[in-house]
Each structure stands twice: as structure tokens, then as C-alpha cells.
Amino acid sequence: MRADLTVPVRTLGWAAGLAVLSGGAYWALLGWDTQRDLDPATGSITGPWSAWQVLGLAAVVGGLAFAAGRARRAWLATFVIPAAVTASFIVSASQDPDGDGLWPIGAALVALGTVAGVVLVSFVTQALSRLR
């Protein structure tokens, strides 16, 4: 008897696609920008990211979560997307020579925020797609 490997192979394909696309989106939108800006009037340092970069990443991650929910792979998205985005953040932030050493706190916040967003979008989409 031959086992049907279609389901595991498709799941692996989805996992790889979600990981590559979400991790790639991080590097394309946030990973390259390490420039902090100093306001000469106040002396405060801002950055390195602009609002459009963070919103762009949120849009890509939301789109991936939506697609995974429509494909009824919300659980997969809940683990893969936050892991890829958080791992990308960790690599980027831990290598920052101007960093203050607080990247583990940032990584925890990135993980929590990404999980919350992906769970909301993917599971709502999955539930709505089942109603059809």
C-alpha cells in the first residue's frame, strides 16, 4: 500500500512559503534600515524605522495570514509567520552595533504582536471561509 503524501507535502510547501515571504518582507522593509536620526533641537534619537515600513510589514503579514486562513491553515500561520518575523528581528537587532542590549525585550514584543495579529486575521478568515 502506498501512503498519500499530498497533505504533508502541501503543508510543508505552505510552511516554507509563509516563512520565506514573511521573513523576506521583514528584511525588505525593516532589515536594511539601521539609521537612527538625531533631532538637534531636542537631542532625542528616533528610528531606525519609519511608519510606512512598519505598516508595510503589517500589511504583508496580514495578507499572508489572510491567505493561510482562506486555505484553512490558520494554525500553521500562527506558528510559522511569527517565528520567521521574530527570528529576522533577532538576527537584525542582536547584530546592531549601536544597540542598547534590549533586543530580547523587543523580540518578545515582536513575537507577541505578530502572534496576536496573525491569530486574529487567520482564524477570523478561516471561520468566515467555512460559512460559505
Side-chain angles (χ1 to χ4, degrees), residues 2 14 17 19-20 29 32 39 49 52 59 65 111 115-116:
R2 197 177 101 165
W14 268 95
V20 167
L29 292 165
W32 59 269
D39 184 349
W49 307 314
W52 71 267
V115 166

Side-chain angles (χ1 to χ4, degrees), residues 28-92:
L29 292 165
L30 303 180
W32 59 269
D33 192 356
T34 59
Q35 180 68 37
R36 296 191 191 324
D37 300 316
L38 174 64
D39 184 349
T42 63
S44 66
I45 297 175
T46 59
W49 307 314
S50 299
W52 71 267
Q53 292 169 289
V54 176
L55 292 173
L57 180 60
V60 170
V61 166
L64 292 172
F66 177 81
R70 293 237 343 149
R72 298 193 177 160
R73 291 185 171 14
W75 279 110
L76 185 65
T78 299
F79 291 103
V80 173
I81 295 172
V85 172
T86 304
S88 296
F89 174 84
I90 289 170
V91 169
S92 174

